Amino acid sequence: LYDTRLQMRPNTYLTPILTFVLAALVLTLPGGVAYSQTSWYQKGREATNNHDKVDYFTRSLEQEGPNKFTYYLRAWALYDLNRFEKAIKDFNASMLQETGELADTYNYTGIAWCHYRLTDYDKGLQFAEKAIKEMPSNAEAWNVKGWSSVSLDRNQDAITAFTKYISLKPDLALGYSARSYVYSRTEQFQKTLDDCEKVLDLDPQNNLILERK
């Protein structure tokens, strides 16, 4: 029913990418003329401005009824606006809805990232682990666990988390970049170089990694 790929931005690393399929509401007018009427929800999905997304999803909730996805997507729009407390409320509201099929693991991951951005790293780690318990294959939960662990100076836990992320997303440079950062701060320089090379294989123009090397 959905495919979720979340790539957040802890330190300019990531931005949410959410892919869902929603068919437009098709109405038939007298005379047999069909046209598409875009719902507020769909307007929110198509909007590129986060302020507009919040507005459209709010209208959808008010006029089209509550839904797990609507709260969830509004939460990410709020996240991108740095309104993390409100985003947490929407992630929690998403889990309370009966309409829509969305695993709680994704909302837990969103809450974890919000706490990370609020610098409450213990709570970030707590919700990352909840997300992982719900779905061990949730790569983004391992990612936020890794960054929360870094911020708590739990470097080995971070390396383990990023290694798991890499195993789930081996074709993304992100995991190797994150792990190389932890290797560099723990003075494991050969491993740092090895991961930097893997990043550049996948993303040859990665300036951050070129500087790290």
Side-chain angles (χ1 to χ4, degrees), residues 172-202:
L172 292 182
L174 174 69
Y176 298 106
S177 175
R179 192 173 64 179
S180 74
Y181 170 71
V182 188
Y183 281 145
S184 68
R185 63 184 270 156
T186 54
E187 300 185 352
Q188 299 182 66
F189 298 123
Q190 185 57 55
K191 290 183 177 180
T192 302
L193 288 172
D194 291 344
D195 272 0
C196 285
E197 292 295 340
K198 289 173 182 175
V199 173
L200 294 174
D201 286 343
L202 295 165

Side-chain angles (χ1 to χ4, degrees), residues 29-186:
L29 297 175
V33 180
Y35 75 102
S36 240
Q37 177 176 317
T38 304
S39 67
W40 288 116
Y41 176 87
Q42 185 64 14
K43 282 179 179 288
R45 292 273 292 110
E46 294 172 353
T48 56
N49 179 286
N50 284 302
H51 291 286
D52 290 340
K53 288 182 181 183
V54 171
D55 180 46
Y56 294 146
F57 289 134
T58 299
R59 289 170 184 259
S60 176
L61 289 167
E62 292 171 350
Q63 299 178 30
E64 298 161 355
N67 183 289
K68 285 180 180 291
F69 288 108
T70 311
Y71 277 112
Y72 178 71
L73 293 174
R74 188 174 71 171
W76 281 118
L78 289 165
Y79 175 94
D80 263 2
L81 293 169
N82 296 328
R83 296 165 67 183
F84 304 119
E85 297 285 2
K86 288 185 178 292
I88 289 170
K89 289 180 180 179
D90 270 8
F91 285 125
N92 280 315
S94 174
M95 289 188 282
L96 294 174
Q97 303 309 308
E98 295 181 359
T99 306
E101 295 186 26
L102 179 68
D104 286 348
T105 184
Y106 299 114
N107 284 300
Y108 287 141
T109 303
I111 293 171
W113 274 119
C114 288
H115 285 302
Y116 175 89
R117 294 295 299 276
L118 289 166
T119 69
D120 190 343
Y121 306 122
D122 284 309
K123 275 195 177 178
L125 186 59
Q126 173 189 340
F127 279 95
E129 289 176 343
K130 274 191 173 185
I132 290 166
K133 184 177 180 180
E134 286 269 326
M135 184 184 291
S137 61
N138 180 349
E140 201 51 49
W142 288 101
N143 189 24
V144 66
K145 178 176 181 177
W147 285 112
S148 297
S149 297
V150 168
S151 299
L152 292 167
D153 289 323
R154 299 178 184 176
N155 293 312
Q156 188 53 54
D157 288 346
I159 289 169
T160 300
F162 290 137
T163 299
K164 181 64 176 180
Y165 180 90
I166 290 167
S167 73
L168 294 167
K169 299 286 184 181
D171 296 328
L172 292 182
L174 174 69
Y176 298 106
S177 175
R179 192 173 64 179
S180 74
Y181 170 71
V182 188
Y183 281 145
S184 68
R185 63 184 270 156
T186 54

Side-chain angles (χ1 to χ4, degrees), residues 5-17 76 79 109-110 113 117 140-141 143-144 174:
R5 284 180 54 226
L6 305 178
Q7 297 185 356
M8 274 65 51
R9 183 172 48 245
N11 292 314
T12 68
Y13 279 96
L14 317 164
T15 185
I17 301 175
W76 281 118
Y79 175 94
T109 303
W113 274 119
R117 294 295 299 276
E140 201 51 49
N143 189 24
V144 66
L174 174 69

